[in-house]
Amino acid sequence: MKLNERSLAFYATCDSPADNAGFLYKRGERHTAYHRRWFVLKGNMLFYFEERESREPVGVIVLEGCTVELCDSAEEFAFAIRFGGAKSRTYVLAAESQAAMESWVKSLSRASFDYMRLVVRELEKQLEEMRWGLAGGCGGCRGSPSSWKLKPSGLERSPERLPALPAVLPKENGCAVWNNVPGADQPPDTSGCGGHDSEGNPRPPPPPRRRASSSEAGSAGVAAAESPSTFNRLHEQYGREVARLRQDWLQRQRVPRP
Amino acid sequence: AVLKKRLVKLVVNFLFYFRTDEAEPIGALLLEHCRITKEEENVFSISFVEEPERKYCFECDSKEQCQEWIEALKRASYEFMRRSLIFYRNEIQKMTGKDPLEQYGISEEARFQLGTHKQ
């Protein structure tokens, strides 16, 4: 299978920081002798070089769908990267100390793209729930928050249907609402309003919902739709807030001014 | 340049391509440090930082499909996912004063620190 090897080699050797690096012994495929190699973990790719100064990796292991486990071996501090599938091989590696072994097992078992995506979705969900919670805390809307708060049960929701967090807009609306409503004790997140984070870098847009299966060129590309209930509820929420403010204002207009 | 019809699959940060009647991919592109560009009508290209003049061009059936792929590919890299994670972590920390990564036991990992990974 063809691979853009130059790009892989570039990714391996460019100066973006590695997630882990060090010497490990790698057991050969056919002969069980161990060879000392320089390993570099970047993202979900584990590259290995003949030597630390080598300009190009000798090989790469893509860490998707694998398990990392300790293994019984004559070699001390050994662990294995195991893949499913009949034709897949198991990579047996050995570190030079207990601490190094533990550090590698930890970082390798969390290196997959899937793991990263899981954590990102979890944080996205937390952030969304928090924003709803804060909007509900304004003014008189202190009723049971659970009535219109997002039900957090991730188990019910299929991963593909998690609503994407809208980028900047609701946050700016949220600031305006909180500022105007009397009695709101939530400090408006003024540092958050606007499109830049504290470092002045433009915010990355939220990752889209990804289909677990992949897109096909031949299909009529169905864009994942926003969950209508999420936006309806948000819209309804803001609508109630606006209606209440309007009523307050109208009432104040009727009272004769002193 | 000849256009060949291919089945294309985006799986994590790899773009696999197949002959339309085969089960095994002919090849794959790792989507790190790459640039996705809209070319002419219904066409986008992928090029890589270390070889910017070499463009992998893809022609789509419609401009909607083209746009969908461009959006998906721009967000397909591990590095993009990492930046999003750092962004959300920071937002939550600002709002709650707590680090949301603590519950996962990964808050000390270098790869999630703000400012460690420049673009």
Side-chain angles (χ1 to χ4, degrees), chain B residues 50-90:
Chain B
E50 78 284 355
E51 207 182 1
E53 44 329 313
R54 162 83 149 116
K55 289 185 175 198
Y56 298 82
C57 289
F58 296 84
E59 185 178 304
C60 307
D61 282 337
S62 68
K63 70 170 194 275
E64 289 77 23
Q65 191 189 44
C66 188
Q67 196 52 38
E68 193 200 346
W69 274 97
I70 291 173
E71 292 303 308
L73 292 168
K74 278 185 169 163
R75 294 165 158 88
S77 68
Y78 192 97
E79 296 303 315
F80 177 88
M81 188 79 50
R82 188 206 307 268
R83 288 199 300 274
S84 303
L85 189 149
I86 292 173
F87 167 69
Y88 290 132
R89 177 195 195 183
N90 201 39

Side-chain angles (χ1 to χ4, degrees), chain A residues 44-101:
Chain A
N44 56 346
M45 322 273 287
L46 181 63
F47 297 96
Y48 50 99
F49 300 74
E50 180 122 12
E51 275 150 42
R52 188 169 177 170
E53 304 76 32
S54 302
R55 302 249 303 270
E56 267 189 7
V58 167
V60 63
I61 303 168
V62 180
L63 299 163
E64 293 298 330
C66 64
T67 55
V68 183
E69 45 196 64
L70 305 177
C71 68
D72 271 329
S73 170
E75 194 72 23
E76 258 194 313
F77 316 125
F79 58 97
I81 304 174
R82 218 177 283 276
F83 291 87
K87 290 187 276 185
S88 305
R89 77 173 261 200
T90 295
Y91 296 85
V92 180
L93 304 171
E96 290 173 323
S97 70
Q98 178 72 16
M101 180 196 72

Side-chain angles (χ1 to χ4, degrees), chain A residues 6-25:
Chain A
R6 264 180 80 166
S7 307
L8 253 105
F10 175 80
Y11 186 46
T13 55
C14 75
D15 55 10
S16 70
D19 297 318
N20 206 341
F23 285 106
L24 290 170
Y25 292 89

Side-chain angles (χ1 to χ4, degrees), chain A residues 2 4 7 11 19 43-44 110 116 122 124 126 130 171 199 203 205-206 208 211 214-215 217 219 221, chain B residues 8 10 13 26-28 30 48 50 65 68 75 78-82 87-88 91 96 103-104 111 114:
Chain A
K2 270 192 283 192
N4 55 333
S7 307
Y11 186 46
D19 297 318
N44 56 346
R110 290 166 176 156
M116 184 66 119
E122 198 37 54
E124 218 176 8
Q126 276 183 38
M130 255 184 270
K171 193 159 209 174
E199 283 184 73
R203 293 214 184 95
R211 290 178 273 270
S214 19
S215 304
S219 69
Chain B
V8 175
L10 175 61
N13 50 349
I26 324 170
L30 171 68
F48 294 88
E50 78 284 355
Q65 191 189 44
E68 193 200 346
R75 294 165 158 88
Y78 192 97
E79 296 303 315
F80 177 88
M81 188 79 50
R82 188 206 307 268
F87 167 69
Y88 290 132
E91 287 300 298
T96 64
Q103 64 185 292
Y104 301 107
R111 60 181 167 149
L114 248 175

